[in-house]
Amino acid sequence: MFYCLHPTPLPPYMIKAGNTLKVFYPKMIHITYTVHGLHRVFEEVRSKFSNVDKLISSVKKIFRKASNRVQLFKDKAPHLQLPPEPIITRWSTWIITSNNYCENIEIIRKILEKLDADDAVSIKEAKKYTSEVHRVIVFNEQDTTQ
């Protein structure tokens, strides 16, 4: 007995294509990617944490094409790599990046303190969002230890 799997994302035109193919392949089983649904959940999480998203974006700008800032980061945190840069169209990279920031927020905050906010708008923004995000992380850590 031969079965044909037809994996597709969820858009209606793919469902229609699957139904059309079923005429030629009656034993075909049409399955949809649940990963798309999971990605949408991640996008919803990202939209709820706009301060974290803005922090990630501004820190990404700070270290891009700035070798002196990259060197400062490597000097102050030799055991860490530069914060990862999420690729929004790739599934779960934002969640992975935000977890990295959560684990290393103290170090990132201390490195940002060494930078002059007048050098770039992104530094000023990163300092602002780092302090906001740091307060939330510290509050949550205290809440979970009690």
Side-chain angles (χ1 to χ4, degrees):
M1 186 169 278
F2 176 72
Y3 285 93
C4 175
L5 289 179
H6 177 62
T8 67
L10 202 52
Y13 62 87
M14 294 306 293
I15 293 170
K16 187 176 178 181
N19 290 336
T20 303
L21 286 172
K22 219 166 189 168
V23 172
F24 300 107
Y25 305 99
K27 294 185 180 186
M28 181 181 74
I29 300 171
H30 184 213
I31 57 174
T32 58
Y33 293 149
T34 56
V35 178
H36 289 283
L38 187 58
H39 179 65
R40 288 183 178 172
V41 169
F42 288 160
E43 286 299 307
E44 185 65 22
V45 168
R46 183 174 151 242
S47 73
K48 299 292 182 195
F49 292 95
S50 61
N51 285 350
V52 176
D53 194 38
K54 290 173 185 171
L55 170 64
I56 291 170
S57 175
S58 57
V59 170
K60 180 175 152 180
K61 291 174 191 172
I62 289 170
F63 293 108
R64 177 174 285 151
K65 299 178 185 173
S67 57
N68 59 337
R69 294 180 194 152
V70 171
Q71 190 58 49
L72 173 71
F73 188 94
K74 289 179 181 179
D75 292 343
K76 298 295 179 190
H79 60 286
L80 282 181
Q81 292 183 350
L82 283 172
E85 296 182 9
I87 302 167
I88 301 306
T89 56
R90 289 209 181 140
W91 299 339
S92 76
T93 59
W94 189 88
I95 295 289
I96 292 167
T97 302
S98 62
N99 282 340
N100 179 281
Y101 275 80
C102 183
E103 292 168 1
N104 301 303
I105 192 71
E106 276 294 325
I107 297 166
I108 293 170
R109 188 174 62 82
K110 287 178 182 176
I111 292 169
L112 291 175
E113 286 174 1
K114 303 283 183 197
L115 299 173
D116 185 9
D118 295 331
D119 284 352
V121 174
S122 56
I123 296 172
K124 188 175 184 178
E125 289 176 354
K127 286 183 176 187
K128 172 187 168 192
Y129 293 119
T130 302
S131 62
E132 290 176 14
V133 170
H134 182 260
R135 272 185 264 132
V136 171
I137 291 171
V138 169
F139 176 77
N140 287 337
E141 284 176 353
Q142 289 172 352
D143 194 38
T144 57
T145 58
Q146 294 176 0

